[in-house]
């Protein structure tokens, strides 16, 4: 394979990303690098996991995805590589990688990264993106089998994040806010299938915390300034204001639980 | 051709850009991707059009430029591809592409993007950058003729933005502020030719809303803290403060009209 | 060589970076571009120099590094190319390049960029990144010897930055704050060797302006919210708060001098 993606909370101001890129291409000179984002809020593993999981379906099949949101770097938390039908994930064993593994078809095998011959040495205590994960990903791109990097671990034994809140009944859904994007659009944990099962159909008027949203195909389907419930480009129910910010309108933040109730 | 550029208002925090990159390189694995910017203010078509138009002259000839500032996504606004002597532009038909087409030698032909065989399917209602424009650009890079993407439309029938305000007389110019860059430099709609026609020469002292600027080659030509009128790297009249922000000094914002008057 | 890196204060909003990238790949179509950062604070030569110097050891050997933090652009300041065992640096002669040259093994030779045949013409007064430094770097990648770009200058005659404050005695160190990263970690001018010479060992409790830090391998080595003194991934003494911001805790900013004193 010939693509490595990067998802981190390093920001773009400090040269940390360039160090990872440089280490990777020194090992694998022909690899293509794709940055998913480096603006995960510091240490926000759930956010990093979500962005990564929603990006990997669109990256080239078989790519190696490095993700580093790693508040436990330098402690006993493990580094792992996880294989899935659609690609390979490399990063800390803190739950960050697992939603992306699911999005790539489900983790089929995993190894703990212990074989320091594949690391950049000396390994710093604080920058495993540069010293462990980027070099392992580059070696994987060059064809080193995952089993070379360390002992096998069952995917079920890797750290997983608790699933987001999601409940439904006839004509209502309660779903955790899992993301607020740069436009202020509010993504919920409910898929379009959940909306269908709850009988929230196109054209329905839905109460959300005292506000009324109309279910429609897109924010452009409603008048400027109006609230819309739609299925977003990742396949999840989302709330938007046409030309505005639904997060601001609703006072919604990640981790909140939104209750959608169809109005009679 | 082998280069695709991207200009959007997606920001860098959400993985939207990576999805576009991934879709493009899955179709055209050898293409080079160049990001113009992803920090166009949300929905600001004029700003996106300006940044793109001022960047394309420096990108490789024949490149395909994807631009997405697209408040009408999912409505009836058309997607288009526009050919010019210097390259191809792909994006919404909302005026965003036309200044860049002019900068590339003028739109010579255009098509409406209707041929869904070249889209990523299913096409979401809200993310045509990923599902329509990036894949069409990648196919164009691989040699698919524009006529394959849909029916021809006359370039004159595409949506165009109103031109910025620009008036001049003897020893004065009135020009719209078209951009404020990251340094606080204020770019006006007047080219160096307009300054020459208005007889605003090197060394002239010019009144700008009660402030005095000296026309000089660059901000380094005046003392620290002084206001300078110069021709910027895109060929337009601009105001700067050496070591400071002209936008702040003048209280100038995009869309304002600045009047430059030579002092006796 | 086949890699060009870029370090600037251009920001990512204006298309300036894309213009540099475009000019470079038009000249050298097969070169790999790596962005170190474009978020150096405007005109902050020291900061740019530091980020560049700490990134270059991890970029591919022999790469050409373009750096542009250039408040004197358009004045008489010289443009230079500097050769070192580990790579080539191209940018203004204002001190920006010299720490990186040292990090690459020490400047072995240098030239003043005067040969305009290698520039993009006309050369603007304000954008030498696009018109001078990027094209010279691309030609250097294609094998043009540095001596072709202009007359030789002794590295010792190039502008250098004053070194940061660094003093030490038995069980104390005074060191300038040279960087605050995106996590609020405070990097000092003292290397691990300086800490050793001052007998500040692992486990030591150290007074820093009335706060107490424990020297440990990493921020994860101390309890959440505690202050730690560690050796960072660049090999320098640094202060961090586990899960917080040391810069905020200490009220520390770049240019401050921190005094570390071992507690009895």
């Amino acid at each position: 394979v010939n693509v490595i993606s990067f998802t981190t909370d390093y920001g773009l101001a400090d040269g940390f990303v360039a160090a990872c890129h440089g280490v990777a291409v020194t090992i694998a000179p022909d690899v293509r690098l794709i940055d998913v984002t480096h603006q995960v809020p510091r240490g926000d593993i759930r956010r990093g996991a979500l962005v990564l999981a929603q990006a990997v379906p669109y990256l080239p099949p078989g790519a190696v995805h490095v993700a580093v949101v790693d508040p436990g770097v330098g402690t006993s938390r493990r580094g792992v590589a996880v294989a899935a039908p659609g690609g390979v994930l490399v990063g800390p064993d803190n739950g960050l990688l697992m939603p992306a593994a699911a999005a790539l078809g489900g983790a089929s095998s995993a190894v703990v990264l212990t074989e320091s011959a594949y690391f950049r040495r000396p390994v710093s205590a604080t920058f495993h993106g540069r010293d462990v994960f980027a070099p392992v990903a580059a070696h994987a791109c060059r064809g080193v089998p995952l089993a070379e990097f360390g002992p096998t671990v069952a995917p079920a034994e890797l750290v997983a994040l608790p699933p987001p809140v999601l409940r439904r009944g006839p004509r209502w859904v309660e779903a955790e806010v899992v993301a607020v994007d740069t436009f202020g659009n509010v993504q919920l944990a409910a898929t379009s299938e959940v909306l269908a099962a709850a009988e929230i159909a196109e054209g329905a008027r839905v109460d959300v915390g005292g506000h009324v949203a109309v279910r429609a195909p897109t924010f452009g389907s409603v008048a400027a300034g109006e609230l819309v419930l739609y299925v977003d480009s990742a396949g999840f129910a989302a709330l938007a204001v046409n030309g505005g910010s639904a997060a601001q309108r609703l006072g919604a933040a990640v981790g909140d639980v939104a209750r959608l109730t169809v109005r009679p």
Side-chain angles (χ1 to χ4, degrees), chain A:
Chain A
V1 296
N2 209 27
V3 172
I4 301 176
S5 85
F6 291 91
T7 304
T8 78
D9 61 357
Y10 292 158
L12 295 172
D14 290 309
F16 299 146
V17 173
C20 295
H21 285 191
V23 166
V25 304
T26 300
I27 295 167
D30 295 325
V31 78
R32 180 190 289 275
L33 308 179
I34 295 181
D35 294 304
V36 173
T37 185
H38 298 286
Q39 298 183 345
V40 175
R42 178 186 181 185
D44 188 340
I45 297 168
R46 285 188 81 109
R47 171 67 185 160
L50 185 92
V51 173
L52 181 62
Q54 295 190 357
V56 292
Y58 305 99
L59 298 177
V64 179
H65 307 286
V66 173
V68 197
V69 180
D70 193 11
V73 62
T75 68
S76 60
R77 75 95 187 90
R78 304 181 293 189
V80 292
V82 181
V88 171
L89 298 143
V90 178
D93 178 26
N94 62 11
L96 178 67
L97 309 178
M98 302 317 284
L104 291 170
S108 53
S109 67
V111 299
V112 180
L113 305 176
T114 58
E115 189 47 72
S116 65
Y118 296 105
F119 300 166
R120 190 182 195 288
R121 284 165 293 176
V123 173
S124 65
T126 53
F127 196 0
H128 287 194
R130 179 191 72 193
D131 297 336
V132 175
F133 303 131
V136 163
H139 285 294
C141 278
R142 286 176 60 102
V144 175
L146 292 202
E148 295 285 309
F149 297 123
T152 298
V153 59
E157 289 172 19
L158 299 177
V159 174
L161 302 171
V165 172
L166 178 61
R167 289 183 285 264
R168 69 173 169 80
R171 303 175 73 76
W172 65 267
V173 168
E174 279 182 358
E176 190 168 329
V177 173
V178 291
V180 173
D181 74 13
T182 192
F183 302 113
N185 300 331
V186 172
Q187 187 183 54
L188 305 178
T191 60
S192 59
E193 289 76 17
V194 171
L195 292 186
E199 299 158 57
I200 302 179
E202 293 286 334
R205 289 164 53 82
V206 178
D207 183 273
V208 193
H211 298 266
V212 177
V214 176
R215 180 158 179 204
T218 177
F219 29 86
S221 311
V222 299
E226 290 201 359
L227 191 67
V228 61
L229 171 68
Y230 67 111
V231 176
D232 73 6
S233 62
F236 287 86
L239 294 154
V241 168
N242 186 7
S245 165
Q248 203 166 21
R249 173 77 55 88
L250 301 169
V254 171
D256 292 353
V257 174
R259 183 177 174 103
L260 309 176
T261 314
V262 178
R263 293 209 158 190

